[in-house]
Amino acid sequence: MTQAREKATAVKQQVAEKTTQVRAQVRGKATHAAHMVQDRTPEPVRAKAAAATGQVRDKAAHVGELAREKAPEPVREKADEAMRMARSNRTPLYAAAGALIALLFVRRARSR
């Protein structure tokens, strides 16, 4: 029994370490990708992307509040847990969202 617990503890530690490494790699790659897109994107497109990001963030917050008011308690608890996780990983989320919006504006500008 003791050996099984020790093995389980060792495996949990290995998984936690690997998770931390993968998170760091994902954050680094997302940040790098965002910088690459930003460096290659003209200023007017970046300004539009920033404005669109703000509008989307505001609209999402408004819709989230409306949904939260009407949701049952168990759903609210799960949503709160998801929000805590998202807030703890904000940088890669913002970087990915910004890169995606900038990419969409660049594609749209090129198609015209």
Side-chain angles (χ1 to χ4, degrees):
M1 264 319 210
T2 304
Q3 285 181 331
R5 286 186 191 141
E6 289 174 358
K7 183 67 174 172
T9 301
V11 169
K12 285 180 186 179
Q13 288 175 341
Q14 289 173 347
V15 168
E17 289 171 6
K18 188 64 174 174
T19 301
T20 301
Q21 288 175 346
V22 170
R23 277 188 187 148
Q25 288 174 346
V26 169
R27 282 183 181 144
K29 287 180 181 181
T31 301
H32 178 70
H35 287 299
M36 294 277 293
V37 169
Q38 188 176 21
D39 291 345
R40 295 180 182 179
T41 305
E43 180 56 38
V45 174
R46 283 190 285 189
K48 285 183 181 180
T53 301
Q55 290 174 350
V56 168
R57 187 182 307 127
D58 293 345
K59 191 67 166 177
H62 177 69
V63 169
E65 283 300 316
L66 290 175
R68 182 172 173 70
E69 290 172 4
K70 297 183 186 292
E73 186 61 31
V75 173
R76 278 187 268 183
E77 289 173 4
K78 286 290 186 185
D80 288 343
E81 183 180 330
M83 286 300 296
R84 282 191 296 276
M85 287 178 57
R87 284 186 179 127
S88 68
N89 295 308
R90 237 182 239 192
T91 302
L93 290 174
Y94 286 152
L100 179 63
I101 290 170
L103 179 65
L104 292 174
F105 276 117
V106 168
R107 291 179 103 191
R108 185 175 175 191
R110 287 185 180 168
S111 69
R112 287 184 182 177

